Amino acid sequence: MSDEPLIARLAHHLQRPVPEFVRTRARLHLLDWLACVAGARGSEIGEIIRRADLDTTYRAAWLGSVLEMDDVHRSALLHPGPVIWSAVLIAGAEVGAALSAVLDGAVQGYESMIAVGSTLDALHYSHFHNTATTGPFGSAAAAGSVYELSACQLLAAMGNAASTTGGLWQFRAEQVMTKFWHTATASSNGKFAAYMAKFGMTGPAAILEGPQGLYAATCRDPKPLVLGDGWRIEEVSFKPWAACRHAHPAIDCALELRAAGRVTPPFHVETYADALTFCDRPDPVTETDAKFSLQHAVAVIADGRDATPADFTPEAIAALALLRAQVSVAEDPEITARYPAHFGARVNGLELQDCRGDPERPVGEAEIVAKMHMLAAWGGLPASEADRAAELALRGDDAAAVVTMLEEWLA
């Protein structure tokens, strides 16, 4: 057993029955992703993919991460939802699958993506966008489940999908749209690899640990592949606020201070090193800059706002300049030592180790439905469409109806 290739172990691990309570959890993640897609309809990237005349269902793969409100796994440092859901819904539409089968596929996709992502080291994350690197494993597993691939076929699908994986962080240094390219291609590549595996396409089994595999190429000290009894979708966090996940701990602390009547400048933020690497931007210019700015995030809360998409627009950037100038940031080594198991921060002495939406501080159906309504309105959809999405995702078993709804939203 110890000589079995890692993705062979993973392929066998995925072919377990999914319990109903885990399927119910997947419904929340489906609705959360639908909310993110709805809110991004009118974005610049949304207009680009319309002009490109892409297939309407495939368009959704480009939109799930635009608002920075997509679900996130902390220790694997990746966002499964934007990659998994489009792939599994497209596959489901091809074979006429019920939503229950799509949900099971999504659970397996989350499992695959997170299991692989949890093995990647800090060197990998310093250069590679983990969502893009691991996404093809997840979309191949999700689509492969819907296609009812054998363990051997699934191994081939993940091996081929992973053989073309990548996702360099260089886009962070430039005002470009590459992040959405990453999620869309990770979604489509894995799905297509699963489709081809149905017809006998073979793929490399040692794509992770082989001498020319992913670890050798991108890691210094990969961690062991851990396959437990549960399903790791239950470890995934929801994002209440429209900012980079690394800014959420500071937002949460600022909200606690505001609730206590103590949100008074100046503000000093102490947090982990990666939060500074990604989000130390005292002078944001664009909407993306603002979503990746600890300084702006704290200013948003200090101004009485709630960190919705409207709070990161150019108008908000201009309005909050004076407050933003009163926010300083620094690393706290103790908070860094707890990361990435815990995304923590301290603002003006108030410290939190985990954020709202994390498994330790969970949100429930009511909060996700409210997020659906908020983002549907931001994306120009009526409240009736938010209700429709909630009903289909949380209580329906008609995957085709979900696809039809997306096609109407994105036509």
Side-chain angles (χ1 to χ4, degrees), residues 40-108:
R41 289 171 68 247
S43 64
E44 187 177 4
I45 189 68
E47 292 303 316
I48 288 172
I49 60 176
R50 283 190 184 90
R51 293 199 300 271
D53 197 28
L54 300 178
D55 176 86
T56 49
T57 309
Y58 178 51
R59 289 177 189 174
W62 292 80
L63 299 180
S65 63
V66 170
L67 297 178
E68 293 295 334
M69 298 191 78
D70 43 327
D71 59 13
V72 58
H73 190 274
R74 290 171 299 179
S75 59
L77 296 168
L78 53 81
H79 301 270
V83 174
I84 300 299
W85 288 109
S86 180
V88 76
L89 283 166
I90 293 171
E94 290 175 1
V95 301
L99 186 60
S100 55
V102 167
L103 293 168
D104 286 359
V107 169
Q108 294 177 40

Side-chain angles (χ1 to χ4, degrees), residues 24-360:
T24 298
R25 171 64 182 245
R27 288 180 179 274
L28 289 178
H29 288 274
L30 171 57
L31 182 60
D32 187 73
W33 174 74
L34 289 170
C36 293
V37 171
R41 289 171 68 247
S43 64
E44 187 177 4
I45 189 68
E47 292 303 316
I48 288 172
I49 60 176
R50 283 190 184 90
R51 293 199 300 271
D53 197 28
L54 300 178
D55 176 86
T56 49
T57 309
Y58 178 51
R59 289 177 189 174
W62 292 80
L63 299 180
S65 63
V66 170
L67 297 178
E68 293 295 334
M69 298 191 78
D70 43 327
D71 59 13
V72 58
H73 190 274
R74 290 171 299 179
S75 59
L77 296 168
L78 53 81
H79 301 270
V83 174
I84 300 299
W85 288 109
S86 180
V88 76
L89 283 166
I90 293 171
E94 290 175 1
V95 301
L99 186 60
S100 55
V102 167
L103 293 168
D104 286 359
V107 169
Q108 294 177 40
Y110 273 66
E111 184 80 7
S112 177
M113 196 169 169
I114 295 166
V116 173
S118 296
T119 69
L120 303 176
D121 66 0
L123 177 66
H124 184 97
Y125 190 59
S126 68
H127 296 284
F128 288 91
H129 182 192
N130 284 11
T131 301
T133 307
T134 64
F137 289 93
S139 52
S145 173
V146 171
Y147 292 145
E148 298 183 340
L149 298 187
S150 68
C152 184
Q153 290 171 317
L154 184 55
L155 179 154
M158 290 192 291
N160 280 330
S163 73
T164 58
T165 198
L168 293 167
W169 274 129
Q170 180 57 34
F171 71 84
R172 290 180 49 242
E174 305 176 35
Q175 296 296 333
V176 292
M177 301 174 178
T178 308
K179 182 176 184 180
F180 318 124
W181 184 280
H182 282 184
T183 56
T185 54
S187 183
S188 62
N189 284 353
K191 183 266 173 192
F192 187 59
Y195 178 80
M196 294 302 293
K198 286 200 305 178
F199 301 100
M201 180 70 70
T202 60
I207 195 64
L208 286 175
E209 73 276 25
Q212 293 176 299
L214 185 66
Y215 295 157
T218 69
C219 295
R220 179 180 295 117
D221 188 22
K223 290 164 275 197
L225 179 69
V226 176
L227 303 175
D229 293 333
W231 291 95
R232 300 185 75 168
I233 193 170
E234 296 186 281
E235 301 172 4
V236 177
S237 300
F238 295 100
K239 291 175 66 176
W241 306 300
C244 174
R245 182 59 175 77
H246 293 306
H248 279 217
I251 291 173
D252 210 354
C253 287
L255 281 168
E256 293 287 328
L257 289 171
R258 191 172 80 185
R262 296 166 48 203
V263 63
T264 305
F267 301 101
H268 184 56
V269 178
E270 299 164 276
T271 187
Y272 52 93
D274 266 353
L276 300 184
T277 299
F278 282 80
C279 295
D280 182 6
R281 303 192 188 194
D283 299 304
V285 175
T286 68
E287 192 168 326
T288 298
D289 287 342
K291 290 180 176 183
F292 282 78
S293 169
L294 288 165
Q295 293 88 346
H296 186 81
V298 172
V300 162
I301 304 306
D303 194 52
R305 302 167 183 245
D306 295 318
T308 69
D311 300 320
F312 298 88
T313 60
E315 293 77 13
I317 293 171
L320 297 175
L322 292 178
L323 265 176
R324 202 166 47 243
Q326 298 186 72
V327 182
S328 60
V329 301
E331 180 194 357
D332 183 301
E334 292 185 0
I335 297 176
T336 296
R338 293 192 289 267
Y339 167 84
H342 301 278
F343 282 35
R346 186 183 303 111
V347 177
N348 287 6
L350 188 150
E351 181 176 342
L352 294 172
Q353 287 195 34
D354 301 298
C355 295
R356 287 174 230 193
D358 285 342
E360 297 84 356

